[in-house]
Amino acid sequence: PKCTVYATYMTNSSSFIEEVEWLLDKGVSVINCSMRHGTTTGKYGIWDKWVDHIDMNHDVLFVKAAGNWDDEVGYVTSPGLAYNAITVGGYDDNNTAVSTDDTMWKYSSYNHANGTAEKPDIIAPAANFTFPGKSTSSGTSYSSPMVVGTVAQLLSAKPSLATQPGILKSVLLASAFRKISAGNYGSINFSPFFSNIEGAGKLDAKNALYVVNSGN
């Protein structure tokens, strides 16, 4: 409640810098980035470094969609390899309220170069969103705004966290204790407890709010 939402569109290298700086000038506490920027090599690069700079020097949490296998050759897309960003992968909840039928969305990116931070950090629903006109779309671009919305709720509960992006990230990851335990990821079978495909697990807004309100 009472949060202010700013929207912008980035088209090229200069635009990316200018638009993010515009958001920073507006005094935002969290930025969602549902796009890739720069090369898709799975390596920590200049744009990832810049996002880490934003986190450390502007106290703004940057949330980035992990990317999609179908058009990004499987690599987590830049600037999603920033160490301090929250990089969000996607899962398929099969349009039910229960967790027992959840599976990883098969196009959610997780590949990265050796020596680079393991990403994604967390996952949220990514599959089969239906819009007015009954068109349906999927992608991690729908997953990361859910994390941003959860951050807004946490800041409403505890405004002092607005300048502590590291704590916000820690709370979200610590509260996302539920891993995907059914199915497989494409042709890759994986353990629900030892997987770098889904990071800390599923976003749990209610549990995150409990952690903040309990003072942990």
Side-chain angles (χ1 to χ4, degrees):
K2 300 181 181 179
C3 74
T4 301
V5 179
Y6 297 94
T8 186
Y9 184 70
M10 305 169 193
T11 57
N12 53 50
S13 296
S14 60
S15 173
F16 180 74
I17 295 173
E18 292 168 0
E19 299 305 321
V20 172
E21 292 286 356
W22 180 80
L23 291 171
L24 295 175
D25 287 342
K26 294 295 182 182
V28 299
S29 299
V30 56
I31 295 175
N32 175 72
C33 184
S34 287
M35 58 164 281
R36 72 177 176 92
H37 184 71
T39 57
T40 307
T41 62
K43 297 179 180 178
Y44 184 80
I46 184 172
W47 301 112
D48 307 286
K49 294 177 183 178
W50 190 56
V51 166
D52 276 331
H53 159 82
I54 290 171
D55 178 280
M56 297 299 293
N57 293 281
H58 294 276
D59 296 324
V60 172
L61 182 61
F62 200 95
V63 181
K64 170 71 175 69
N68 310 318
W69 270 89
D70 52 348
D71 58 359
E72 310 292 1
V73 291
Y75 283 121
V76 169
T77 58
S78 180
L81 293 169
Y83 288 92
N84 296 305
I86 297 180
T87 304
V88 188
Y91 71 91
D92 186 350
D93 64 5
N94 283 292
N95 200 31
T96 69
V98 299
S99 298
T100 53
D101 61 352
D102 293 347
T103 59
M104 282 298 299
W105 184 58
K106 63 181 180 179
Y107 295 116
S108 181
S109 295
Y110 68 91
N111 274 356
H112 48 80
N114 290 335
T116 300
E118 289 192 355
K119 298 283 184 170
D121 297 292
I122 198 169
I123 55 175
N128 301 318
F129 290 88
T130 301
F131 300 94
K134 298 184 178 180
S135 62
T136 301
S137 183
S138 301
T140 57
S141 288
Y142 302 112
S143 307
S144 58
M146 296 186 191
V147 174
V148 173
T150 302
V151 170
Q153 296 282 1
L154 298 180
L155 294 180
S156 178
K158 192 168 185 178
S160 62
L161 291 177
T163 57
Q164 301 182 74
I167 293 178
L168 282 169
K169 180 175 180 178
S170 296
V171 167
L172 287 170
L173 269 60
S175 59
F177 62 90
R178 184 174 292 145
K179 294 274 195 170
I180 300 292
S181 58
N184 59 49
Y185 188 100
S187 61
I188 306 169
N189 292 306
F190 64 93
S191 162
F193 302 107
F194 301 98
S195 169
N196 65 347
I197 293 172
E198 55 183 319
K202 292 164 55 179
L203 173 70
D204 190 326
K206 185 176 180 179
N207 199 42
L209 186 60
Y210 171 79
V211 172
V212 167
N213 286 335
S214 65
N216 293 334

